Amino acid sequence: MTTATYEVLAASSDHAVAVTIAFIGGLIVACALIWAVRVGMRVMDKDTHHPDPAEQPHLPDTGPVRETREMREPDEMPVVPRDGERLLPHELHHASTRTGKDQKPRRWLPGSSGSFGGGGLGHT
């Protein structure tokens, strides 16, 4: 399209009517969204129960709950012989690990390698 074509389109009255209709349509949509947000805020203020300070959560009498650290070890599946009865889901443990017998955390040993490809010398 040439510049002359754009000038003809811009000067035509059909184009002006279309732009006016689009502007009015956008204005209606914007007003509808603003109205919906205001109605939603009003409904939330009426329906939502805001707790009193006495209803707020508070610390237990024993004090704050602390994190516990423990070393875990895998809880292996029991071996069932081929001709034995199969294990049912209720016979399994709820976790795949259990508290380990050795609770000392593993420490890094000087001279041992880090991760694979970490660039260390490894065991020397």
Side-chain angles (χ1 to χ4, degrees):
M1 293 183 131
T2 63
T3 307
T5 309
Y6 287 124
E7 289 176 7
V8 169
L9 286 174
S12 70
S13 62
D14 294 340
H15 181 66
V17 171
V19 169
T20 305
I21 291 173
F23 178 76
I24 292 172
L27 200 59
I28 291 172
V29 168
C31 289
L33 289 173
I34 291 170
W35 175 79
V37 168
R38 291 188 68 184
V39 167
M41 288 171 61
R42 236 182 281 136
V43 167
M44 288 295 287
D45 286 341
K46 285 182 187 176
D47 290 348
T48 305
H49 167 70
H50 300 288
D52 301 331
E55 296 174 336
Q56 296 288 337
H58 58 280
L59 285 175
D61 296 335
T62 58
V65 178
R66 301 286 182 206
E67 178 180 317
T68 58
R69 290 184 153 227
E70 64 182 3
M71 302 302 292
R72 306 285 293 174
E73 63 184 20
D75 194 11
E76 302 293 335
M77 290 280 293
V79 178
V80 179
R82 272 185 120 31
D83 57 341
E85 290 189 31
R86 66 185 180 124
L87 287 174
L88 299 175
H90 68 275
E91 296 172 327
L92 299 176
H93 301 290
H94 67 282
S96 61
T97 60
R98 64 174 179 255
T99 304
K101 294 178 181 105
D102 181 22
Q103 288 296 312
K104 287 191 316 187
R106 291 183 180 169
R107 297 287 179 208
W108 176 76
L109 299 173
S112 66
S113 66
S115 63
F116 176 74
L121 298 174
H123 294 285
T124 55

